[in-house]
Amino acid sequence: MASRLVLLLAAAAVAVACLPAPASAVAWMVGDGGGWRAKFNQTGWADGKTFRVGDTLMFMYARDAHTVVEVGREDFAACNLQANLLGAWNSGNDVVQLDRPGKRWFFCSVPGHCDNGMKLAVNVVGDDGVPAPAPAPESGWWF
């Protein structure tokens, strides 16, 4: 019986060793050395980056000069300062956990800042590397 247990434990160890190593989470400093700043969206900072569930976004900025808010797609596109906020940060050293796949939209809520490009959209992919499906169109057209 003991030899079967040893054999079973050895087989389990081999199976675990063959599993792929989990990807390490990345702490993304938004804007790199320039931080979260005016006209940020014009830098193309997010272009070519793959954001994954488990990663974090670090927003660094002068505390009294900016904010970070998370909003929905329409409020992001319109820079709607009266938006239904999904999240709000104002410490100047904010960390946002990317805890689910799909699109996430952020902007600075100081009047005029979003309109001047202080906004960020990221697409977070799940554990399988596939982004969440796009939401259904709101136009009423269904195919």
Side-chain angles (χ1 to χ4, degrees), residues 15-70:
V16 168
C18 292
L19 291 174
S24 297
V26 175
W28 298 96
M29 182 177 293
V30 175
D32 299 320
W36 182 234
R37 62 194 180 281
K39 300 186 189 264
F40 172 81
N41 197 41
Q42 297 172 3
T43 68
W45 176 80
D47 295 348
K49 292 178 172 63
T50 302
F51 302 95
R52 299 184 182 282
V53 170
D55 289 355
T56 55
L57 297 177
M58 300 184 309
F59 290 86
M60 306 300 176
Y61 55 92
R63 181 180 183 171
D64 296 329
H66 304 295
T67 67
V68 178
V69 295
E70 183 174 2

Side-chain angles (χ1 to χ4, degrees), residues 9 18 21 31 34 40 43 45 48 51 64-66 85 92-93 102 107 116 119-120 127 130 132 138:
L9 289 174
C18 292
F40 172 81
T43 68
W45 176 80
F51 302 95
D64 296 329
H66 304 295
L85 302 181
N93 187 23
F107 65 71
N116 285 319
K119 56 197 304 187
L120 171 67
D127 295 334
V130 178
E138 296 178 15

Side-chain angles (χ1 to χ4, degrees), residues 39-124:
K39 300 186 189 264
F40 172 81
N41 197 41
Q42 297 172 3
T43 68
W45 176 80
D47 295 348
K49 292 178 172 63
T50 302
F51 302 95
R52 299 184 182 282
V53 170
D55 289 355
T56 55
L57 297 177
M58 300 184 309
F59 290 86
M60 306 300 176
Y61 55 92
R63 181 180 183 171
D64 296 329
H66 304 295
T67 67
V68 178
V69 295
E70 183 174 2
V71 297
R73 176 181 55 194
E74 293 81 17
D75 289 324
F76 176 82
C79 288
N80 181 5
L81 298 179
Q82 309 307 314
N84 178 29
L85 302 181
L86 304 175
W89 301 266
N90 61 8
S91 74
N93 187 23
D94 305 320
V95 178
V96 177
Q97 183 74 34
L98 301 177
D99 56 358
R100 63 189 179 281
K103 285 282 219 174
R104 306 275 299 265
W105 297 274
F106 304 91
F107 65 71
C108 178
S109 65
V110 172
H113 289 202
C114 180
D115 291 321
N116 285 319
M118 200 166 180
K119 56 197 304 187
L120 171 67
V122 298
N123 191 28
V124 182

